[in-house]
Amino acid sequence: MITFIPLYAFTRKVPVYESFVEGAKDGFGTAIAIIPHLVGMLVAISVFRASGALDFLMGFIAPALQGLGVPPEVLPLGLLRPLTGTGSLAYTTDLIRVHGPDSLIGMIASTIQGSTDTTLYVLTVYFGAVGIRNGRYALKVGLFSDIVGFVAAIAICMLAFG
Amino acid sequence: MINGIWLAMIVIGFVFAAVNGRMDEFTAAVFDGAKSGVTVSFGLISVLVFWMGMMRVAEDAGLLRKIARLLGPVVGFLFPDVPKGHPAIGYILSNMSANLLGLGNAATPMGIKAMQELQTLNPDKETATPAMCTLLALNTASITLIPATLIAIRLNFGSAEPAGIVGTTLAATAVATLAAIAADRLFRRLTLLRRPPKPPAIRPGDSARGGPALPHSSMKG
């Protein structure tokens, strides 16, 4: 793709370099415009985690999961995933390191990480870039699909590898 | 909703920190979060600058218009209110394909370009349009064919079958994507029912300049 696009454009008599630089300028401005949004979001997430509120929340949900035979180790992943991509990737890496990549926990964690996304980050970046303040129902839909993806990942892995 | 969640996270965080005697950690977390917000943004600069440059070349070459015409029907179903042949469609499609291939880094700039194009169709510049919500729904469900990062990590920890998660990831991602599209459709329908379509807020004399200054107004191409 990296060579095809410029080559194709060149055959179409597009001034490729000038066109690239023109578009690239937008990229810089966009990255800068995102900063305030990202700082606001990441501060809230980081505060929520450091205060122990996240651990407290997890204490409620873990026993219910254990009853279903779901390894409770994967639960924090479901809570972290929509909030922080690097945080959840770090957590997944840790689960894989401790339990092994081919263990049930390792498979579930890998699948969750691969099939859901950092909803709050995506929302912040995309809406932040165009100055949308009222996201309407986008957050609800995003979180709903995260929950479905999380549950589906666990169910499918338990069927396939359990 | 985002206002409430943001406020709640900070206030609840503060209360928990006070009760748990973690005020030092609370303060540290504030600056930690702020710092990573800037670091992440700066980390995005290289990728955004490169891919947005690349996308401009593709756009000038007429590639995006071509893709848009080819895959128009799919997008037409998902984004009924984006006019056929609008530049947004090309970016939406590029964003979808980059996500499919697991090129998260390339998907973001294209998604942002798609958003900026959708914003040109938006009568109320501060409120998301249904099309914007659909684009987000597709991105948060993150349709993935090849979870490259995960395969790399698994390989790193000596997995017997690093790609063994491709099937399960594909299945889970398909379920999540269908759920996201269904939920998006439902909410779209509900919003339409709740408030009858009001006449667009743009009057002939209103230019983009009329509204409050938007952070991106200086970089619109």
Side-chain angles (χ1 to χ4, degrees), chain A:
Chain A
M1 201 146 103
I2 290 172
T3 40
F4 171 74
I5 293 175
L7 277 177
Y8 178 86
F10 185 73
T11 62
R12 289 303 179 93
K13 298 194 173 61
V14 172
V16 275
Y17 181 71
E18 280 152 44
S19 170
F20 176 85
V21 171
E22 225 16 76
K25 279 181 193 160
D26 280 357
F28 187 77
T30 305
I32 299 301
I34 291 168
I35 293 181
H37 298 269
L38 222 46
V39 167
M41 222 44 194
L42 291 182
V43 165
I45 291 165
S46 145
V47 155
F48 195 74
R49 209 173 357 162
S51 67
L54 189 66
D55 298 328
F56 181 78
L57 194 64
M58 253 140 49
F60 274 105
I61 315 173
L65 277 185
Q66 250 160 337
L68 290 169
V70 176
E73 286 87 346
V74 301
L75 180 64
L77 201 50
L79 298 174
L80 278 177
R81 192 67 181 102
L83 300 177
T84 146
T86 45
S88 63
L89 188 62
Y91 192 82
T92 296
T93 311
D94 192 56
L95 284 180
I96 290 176
R97 187 180 58 81
V98 173
H99 301 277
D102 300 322
S103 64
L104 181 60
I105 291 176
M107 296 304 261
I108 292 179
S110 308
T111 303
I112 292 173
Q113 184 73 29
S115 63
T116 53
D117 210 329
T118 318
T119 297
L120 279 182
Y121 167 82
V122 174
L123 209 81
T124 306
V125 169
Y126 281 20
F127 280 167
V130 291
I132 295 284
R133 286 164 198 281
N134 176 3
R136 288 230 188 133
Y137 48 83
L139 184 60
K140 286 181 214 165
V141 172
L143 289 180
F144 173 71
S145 96
D146 279 336
I147 295 171
V148 171
F150 179 70
V151 173
I154 293 175
I156 290 164
C157 281
M158 288 182 66
L159 279 176
F161 311 113

Side-chain angles (χ1 to χ4, degrees), chain B residues 39-64:
Chain B
T39 319
V40 171
S41 301
F42 270 79
L44 278 174
I45 291 181
S46 53
V47 186
L48 279 173
V49 166
F50 176 75
W51 278 108
M52 283 199 159
M54 218 47 159
M55 283 301 105
R56 176 65 68 91
V57 175
E59 188 187 1
D60 289 348
L63 267 178
L64 289 176

Side-chain angles (χ1 to χ4, degrees), chain B residues 19 82 125 139 159 164:
Chain B
V19 171
V82 178
K125 298 295 180 208
N139 271 281
S159 167

Side-chain angles (χ1 to χ4, degrees), chain B residues 123-138:
Chain B
D124 172 2
K125 298 295 180 208
E126 296 204 348
T127 304
T129 58
M132 290 173 162
C133 293
T134 307
L135 181 64
L136 274 177
L138 287 175

Side-chain angles (χ1 to χ4, degrees), chain B residues 54-128:
Chain B
M54 218 47 159
M55 283 301 105
R56 176 65 68 91
V57 175
E59 188 187 1
D60 289 348
L63 267 178
L64 289 176
R65 246 171 296 129
K66 233 177 192 165
I67 305 174
R69 219 173 301 130
L70 244 121
L71 288 165
V74 186
V75 175
F77 167 76
L78 288 171
F79 298 87
D81 32 22
V82 178
K84 255 185 207 138
H86 191 274
I89 289 174
Y91 289 118
I92 291 170
L93 285 163
S94 322
N95 170 259
M96 284 164 77
S97 359
N99 267 328
L100 274 171
L101 297 175
L103 303 169
N105 284 342
T108 306
M110 296 172 199
I112 289 174
K113 279 301 278 181
M115 270 298 165
Q116 289 172 344
E117 288 297 337
L118 289 178
Q119 180 74 315
T120 63
L121 299 168
N122 190 357
D124 172 2
K125 298 295 180 208
E126 296 204 348
T127 304

